[in-house]
Amino acid sequence: MINRELLEPQSIVIIGGSNNVHKPGGAIVRNIQQGGYQGTLRIVNPKEDEVQGIKVFHDVRELPPTELAVLVIPAKLCPDTVEVLARDKGAKAFIIISAGFGEETAAGAKMEQRILDICERYCAALIGPNCIGLLTRHHHSVFTKPIPALNAKGVDFISGSGATAVFILESAVIKGLQFNSVWSIGNGKQIGIEDVLEYMDTHFNPETDSLVKLLYIENISNPDKLLFHASSLIRKGCRIAAIKAGASESGSRAASSHTGAIASSDAAVEALFRKAGIVRCFSREELTTAGCIFMVTSQLSNFKLQTSNFNFAIVTHAGGPGVMLTDALSKGGINVPKLEGANAEALKEQLFPGSAVANPIDILATGTPEQLGIAIDYCEKKFKDIDAIAVIYGTPGLTTLYEAYEVLHKKIQECKKPIFPILPSLHTAGPEVAEFLAKGHVNFSDEVTLATALSQIMRTPAPAPSELELYGVDVPKIREIIGNLPADTNGYVSPDIVRQLFECAGIPMVAEMVSTDCDELVSFAQKEGFPVVAKVVGPVHKSDVGGVTLNIRTPEHLKMEFERMMQIPDATGVMVQRMLKGTELFIGAKYEQRFGHVVLCGLGGIFVEVLKDVQSGLAPLSYGEAYSMIRSLRGYKILKGTRGQQGINEQKYAEIIVRLSTLLRFATEIKEMDINPLLADDKDIVAVDARIRIEK
């Protein structure tokens, strides 16, 4: 539970506060005082009479009533101290900095549980244990540095790791990113990341609250809660970016299908973030850069980064960084269009000879602050197709940059298009950059990191609709088919059951016949038309045992392959299908505990095994999620059609993904599924081979 006493306490007591600012107990007293806390600050320390100018209590029993207690004492002393404070002193909030609890030993876990029980009994909030504290505009109850600049519209940052939070803050402060609050949840015994998001969601005020949330997550204990409140905040106008650290052991377990081998809890996290609309980051620099991008764009009303044909203009006085930024933006699918025509010529006339205006706009190293302003004005007012402007402006050490950065400051205030300042001279022009940041701006010192984060943001879809649509999937029939299976079903079901389930979901399959009668299969092949494909039924990995033969053109060849395949160990029959041509696609699904079904898509055949170019989503999926998955594939250009080859029917592919995910939503008994391949052309997509593993 999060309460007023935690967020805006009128009195705080530091249990273990000291004069040594190089230890947590002293550093936290220093930070609270330097942070301008307006309430009553008390200290408990049995060995000191005065701590940093504050008279000290020697025992918690001597304290008057106090709302928030911050504990910086040995773990073994914490449970009794919490009980005295909650029972006798009316404390309604606790921040426990101390370590040595459930993260270390079973005995520590018992102490941690006792503290939680006390807090629950007295309706008190608990942050930690094993954390760096809580930083808000009201009180700086952290023992670490740096303390970033704070304002109401700054970033809310929630971290599952204290040390990592400090490193992320270091990265943010250098960029000028400002904060509203920093939450270090530590062991998260009562209040976890999901709980903080829930509080921010249920108490959200768009006029006063931060619109940017950054998360560092080590464990997702409640995926549904995270999904619900993150997507709710984003729908209310917030932007969220997150790092999820740590790989699950499930990724290394032996699996019986391609999907089982590829899918992991990390794929589930990717899918959860996609459904929620959370931008996934993979490093501290990416996370803080995403936060800076959000801050730049959140100040512009009705501006959206998630648009097609997004066009960037680059204004630079150094050719190399402009080229690198152009390459990085283009790689991420962001346009850097050529600027030409009368406006481009008019701009060139106002720059020094040798300047380039085609985009990047290179005003040369000798370009003046006035020319910088002119170039920005042209991008803002004259070049109508430009959506955003990147300005690269550093120094080789010959001049100061105060005047140029003042021009940039004014243009950021005036322009309706976002301006992304890239000021690389952090050492040579440190004072100038610091003055620019002090005016409330951010700095993207590395142009490629900016482009990477921008691309990731623009690839992230909006939160998926919360309403479930059936899309014509026959749910009662699906339940009937699964209900009729034997109660001890545990393994891959027959091709006939697969076909029945797919028919209920409206997923097209190639005509096929499974039989142990060779003449029956030959008759089917003649009816469908040669050439055909023969596949052994029984073994899971057919290709590995020589159980697949393509391009069978005669009855005699089919009979020979039938005889051979029936000799393969575990063979229970042979399947015959008409031979089709097209681009091979893949769809798979795996049930992950707590997350539900993770649906994967990608190129099929051997590509899914070798390249592992797949994207994931959580069932049930919307069409927006399905399109996002398809278009995020590295091989998407192949699906679009390349070098004269026809592209696939992307709409049909998305429809099959959505229908499959709806089927899975109502069939939790399905634990793994592979459709590999689906054969696709510009008109249709047909499932050729599919397996479903069920556990009842």
Side-chain angles (χ1 to χ4, degrees), residues 5 7 112 126 136 199 205 219 325 330:
E5 289 84 358
L7 299 177
E112 190 173 307
L126 171 64
T136 72
Y199 182 86
N205 183 333
N219 177 56
L325 179 56
S330 300

Side-chain angles (χ1 to χ4, degrees), residues 248-281:
S248 167
E249 77 284 354
S250 64
S252 61
R253 289 198 304 260
S256 60
S257 68
H258 301 309
T259 304
I262 296 169
S264 67
S265 288
D266 191 64
V269 169
E270 186 79 28
L272 176 67
F273 283 13
R274 187 191 304 278
K275 185 175 283 292
I278 297 171
V279 177
R280 189 170 191 191
C281 300

Side-chain angles (χ1 to χ4, degrees), residues 218-275:
E218 292 188 337
N219 177 56
I220 300 176
S221 59
N222 192 331
D224 287 340
K225 192 171 186 178
L226 178 65
L227 170 62
F228 180 86
H229 292 292
S231 57
S232 175
L233 281 165
I234 293 170
R235 290 190 188 98
K236 292 173 180 176
C238 294
R239 305 303 305 271
I240 301 178
I243 295 172
K244 169 60 178 75
S248 167
E249 77 284 354
S250 64
S252 61
R253 289 198 304 260
S256 60
S257 68
H258 301 309
T259 304
I262 296 169
S264 67
S265 288
D266 191 64
V269 169
E270 186 79 28
L272 176 67
F273 283 13
R274 187 191 304 278
K275 185 175 283 292

Side-chain angles (χ1 to χ4, degrees), residues 370-382:
E370 180 185 9
Q371 290 172 328
L372 172 65
I374 291 170
I376 293 172
D377 284 341
Y378 266 76
C379 295
E380 167 74 8
K381 300 171 184 176
K382 302 290 187 180

Side-chain angles (χ1 to χ4, degrees), residues 11-57:
S11 54
I12 300 175
V13 60
I14 311 298
I15 312 298
S18 74
N19 284 305
N20 189 344
V21 296
H22 300 294
K23 291 186 177 181
I28 203 163
V29 174
R30 175 201 63 200
N31 288 345
I32 291 175
Q33 292 197 104
Q34 290 182 355
Y37 174 62
Q38 297 299 305
T40 301
L41 179 62
R42 302 183 176 101
I43 312 291
V44 172
N45 187 321
K47 299 178 181 179
E48 301 279 358
D49 293 324
E50 184 177 289
V51 165
Q52 299 181 46
I54 300 173
K55 185 180 177 181
V56 170
F57 295 88

